[in-house]
């Protein structure tokens, strides 16, 4: 019986993992309540899930708020821009669908949906990149666009995952709120499956070339791993 409660026993390791998942998800949800802070919270969610839940390095609360704090100044304005674009596209889609007719309505809807999709994809890439690498805002967008174009399969996965996450949040909030305590970490883990192999390519290049994480002729825009 004593072995059951040993810190390194399988049951206790499992319970510890579950506890970590709950804490990370709760911290993310709390930091997302103001809405305008979702960007830094997404950075912290990805970083903490990778460091604690996946690799069991460090302490949950300390790691989460470390990432939230160091990425806040960049993530906050970027998230506001992406959020405003998404809201504007939503309004434009509604207006076009209800006020325009014929081919013009189709063209406007296609354009606004395209912009919205690009915005959602950028959200799916930018905050994981920011949580893993230190780079300027310009390089952050450049990296996100470059990766999304050169890895179209992963980009499709990112888009589907983003949409599924948003709808799952809304659905479980209304139907089964307790699921929200595990959903954010599940989302971050799936993100890792899509993105970490891509990030590894840039880290390998950095190790071999001794330069920034991404290709850039301007040294001031180089990205470096936060680890």
């Amino acid at each position: 019986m004593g072995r059951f409660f040993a810190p390194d026993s399988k049951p206790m390791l499992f319970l510890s993992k579950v506890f970590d998942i709950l804490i990370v998800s709760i911290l993310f949800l709390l930091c997302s309540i103001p809405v305008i802070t979702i960007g830094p919270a997404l950075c912290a969610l990805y970083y903490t899930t990778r460091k604690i839940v996946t690799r069991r390095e460090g302490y949950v609360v300390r790691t989460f708020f470390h990432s939230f704090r160091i990425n806040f100044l960049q993530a906050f304005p970027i998230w506001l821009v992406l959020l405003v674009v998404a809201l504007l596209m939503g309004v434009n889609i509604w207006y076009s669908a209800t006020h325009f007719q014929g081919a013009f309505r189709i063209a406007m809807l296609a354009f606004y949906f395209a912009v919205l999709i690009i915005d959602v994809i950028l959200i799916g890439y930018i905050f994981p990149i920011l949580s893993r690498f230190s780079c300027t805002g310009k390089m952050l967008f450049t990296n996100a666009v470059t990766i999304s174009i050169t890895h179209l399969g992963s980009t499709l996965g990112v888009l589907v995952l983003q949409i599924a996450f948003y709808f799952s949040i809304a659905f479980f909030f209304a139907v089964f709120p307790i699921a929200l305590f595990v959903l954010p970490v599940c989302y971050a883990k799936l993100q890792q499956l899509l993105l970490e192999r891509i990030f590894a390519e840039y880290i390998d290049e950095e190790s071999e070339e001794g330069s920034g994480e991404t290709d850039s002729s301007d040294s001031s825009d180089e990205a470096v791993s936060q680890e």
Side-chain angles (χ1 to χ4, degrees), residues 1-174:
M1 190 67 177
R3 177 59 187 167
F4 180 89
F5 292 103
D8 60 345
S9 67
K10 289 184 178 180
M12 293 305 295
L13 288 175
F14 173 77
L15 291 175
S16 177
K17 179 85 71 173
V18 171
F19 183 75
D20 288 344
I21 291 172
L22 293 175
I23 294 299
V24 174
S25 294
I26 290 171
L27 290 175
F28 170 75
L29 293 172
L30 289 175
C31 290
S32 297
I33 288 175
V35 179
I36 59 175
T37 57
I38 289 178
L42 285 171
C43 290
L45 171 65
Y46 188 93
Y47 184 81
T48 309
T49 299
R50 180 175 178 273
K51 296 284 285 185
I52 306 297
V53 178
T54 302
R55 296 163 55 182
R56 300 197 62 79
E57 299 179 4
Y59 299 93
V60 175
V61 177
R62 182 187 302 173
T63 300
F64 186 94
F65 283 110
H66 168 74
S67 179
F68 188 91
R69 176 179 55 82
I70 66 173
N71 292 307
F72 186 87
L73 291 180
Q74 276 189 289
F76 179 72
I78 290 172
W79 167 252
L80 288 184
V81 171
L82 294 171
L83 177 62
V84 169
V85 170
L87 293 175
L88 286 176
M89 292 306 103
V91 172
N92 288 336
I93 288 171
W94 169 81
Y95 188 86
S96 297
T98 56
H99 291 76
F100 298 146
Q101 299 294 328
F104 184 71
R105 177 172 66 176
I106 295 174
M108 289 295 97
L109 288 175
F111 174 77
Y112 293 135
F113 268 114
V115 175
L116 181 60
I117 288 172
I118 293 171
D119 189 73
V120 170
I121 290 172
L122 287 176
I123 292 173
Y125 274 114
I126 282 178
F127 298 108
I129 292 174
L130 184 56
S131 76
R132 294 280 275 112
F133 304 100
S134 297
C135 53
T136 65
K138 172 187 172 182
M139 207 61 199
L140 187 59
F141 277 93
T142 300
N143 291 342
V145 172
T146 301
I147 292 174
S148 66
I149 294 174
T150 56
H151 297 82
L152 291 178
S154 295
T155 298
L156 178 59
V158 167
L159 176 61
V160 172
L161 178 60
Q162 290 293 104
I163 296 173
F165 181 58
Y166 301 149
F167 277 101
S168 296
I169 287 286
F171 174 79
F172 285 118
F173 181 79

